[in-house]
Amino acid sequence: MRTTILVATLLMTGSPLLQGAESTAAQIEHAAGLFLDDFASQQADRGFEVSHKTGPLDSRLALAACNTPLAVSFSGDPWKTTQPTLEVSCSGERPWRMFLGASVTITGDGMVAARALTRGERITGGMIKAESVTVNATRRGVITDPEQLIGMEMRRGINAGTMMTPNLLTAPAAVARGDHVIITARRGSFAVNSRGKAMADAAVGDQVLIENLSSSRTVKARVTAPGQVEIPM
């Protein structure tokens, strides 16, 4: 995710030398704060609560005061870390760019295992439930939509209460070894169908070896749906 906002320039009084350093620090802090407030507001509309604070500015900061609004963005994905970095830049007469640490906690409903799950189990609605979790506490990404889980298979066993993350899941086989399948040979809008037998298990999108039952030839095909594969003509 990459979100950017522009923040109005702050002016401060004082000696020219101090004014430049102080106004630059004030600009950065103000811009970063408004950016994080805006991000929190956007996520609140989606049902997530965001708490945040910016890290301290380097005391050696020596950047020119910016005469244009500052641009602020996340330099990484804030949904996969609670310690994202902000990129702050000035495109004015004396352009510059700097990075500022931040602490961001996103809280909301995430899907967790309602009971212990074993390797190979196919997930149904009763096996999962929503709980309030820190959504960005893991780089793997917490799953918040139950529809992304239903029908998937467990890659390994987990305990009850474990957060559901993509690395725990695998797509179920749409074709199993020995299954009879429909082979579609396609070129543009023209297609020819024949029957074949799968030589291995495969999920939708996977490549699998298929024995053509008419010619006894073995071809490599892509699984397009349960019981259906496709090869280019």
Side-chain angles (χ1 to χ4, degrees):
M1 176 181 294
R2 192 171 181 83
T3 309
T4 304
I5 62 172
L6 296 178
V7 183
T9 301
L10 296 180
L11 296 178
M12 297 182 66
T13 59
S15 68
L17 181 61
L18 291 177
Q19 178 180 337
E22 291 176 0
S23 63
T24 301
Q27 282 178 288
I28 293 169
E29 291 173 344
H30 185 66
L34 287 183
F35 170 77
L36 291 174
D37 285 343
D38 183 69
F39 176 75
S41 177
Q42 291 177 28
Q43 306 322 311
D45 292 340
R46 301 174 54 199
F48 297 99
E49 181 180 344
V50 178
S51 60
H52 61 80
K53 65 179 180 180
T54 57
L57 285 170
D58 191 328
S59 60
R60 298 166 296 178
L61 181 71
L63 299 170
C66 191
N67 61 352
T68 63
L70 296 180
V72 185
S73 64
F74 286 112
S75 66
D77 188 349
W79 289 90
K80 294 185 177 181
T81 177
T82 58
Q83 302 292 322
T85 300
L86 303 179
E87 179 180 318
V88 185
S89 61
C90 170
S91 59
E93 294 177 359
R94 300 173 65 185
W96 48 260
R97 182 179 64 165
M98 59 89 66
F99 295 91
L100 177 65
S103 175
V104 177
T105 301
I106 305 173
T107 305
D109 283 346
M111 304 309 301
V112 304
R115 62 169 176 80
L117 301 176
T118 59
R119 183 173 181 261
E121 276 198 273
R122 185 168 296 191
I123 298 174
T124 63
M127 297 179 181
I128 54 176
K129 62 181 180 178
E131 282 189 0
S132 180
V133 298
T134 301
V135 179
N136 60 335
T138 171
R139 290 185 178 276
R140 297 185 179 94
V142 175
I143 296 174
T144 60
D145 182 359
E147 293 302 317
Q148 295 181 19
L149 295 171
I150 304 300
M152 299 293 283
E153 291 183 355
M154 294 301 302
R155 191 183 298 273
R156 62 178 177 84
I158 59 174
N159 295 323
T162 302
M163 288 192 296
M164 302 300 292
T165 55
N167 66 302
L168 296 176
L169 309 169
T170 185
V175 169
R177 179 184 177 87
D179 280 356
H180 283 205
V181 299
I182 300 299
I183 305 170
T184 300
R186 187 182 304 278
R187 175 180 290 173
S189 59
F190 180 72
V192 175
N193 292 334
S194 58
R195 298 189 65 83
K197 184 172 71 173
M199 309 299 288
D201 296 351
V204 172
D206 289 348
Q207 298 282 333
V208 64
L209 290 176
I210 302 291
E211 179 187 354
N212 187 308
L213 296 179
S214 298
S215 65
S216 296
R217 293 178 57 196
T218 300
V219 296
K220 182 178 288 188
R222 181 174 61 88
V223 180
T224 57
Q228 298 183 38
V229 301
E230 185 173 300
I231 59 174
M233 188 182 294

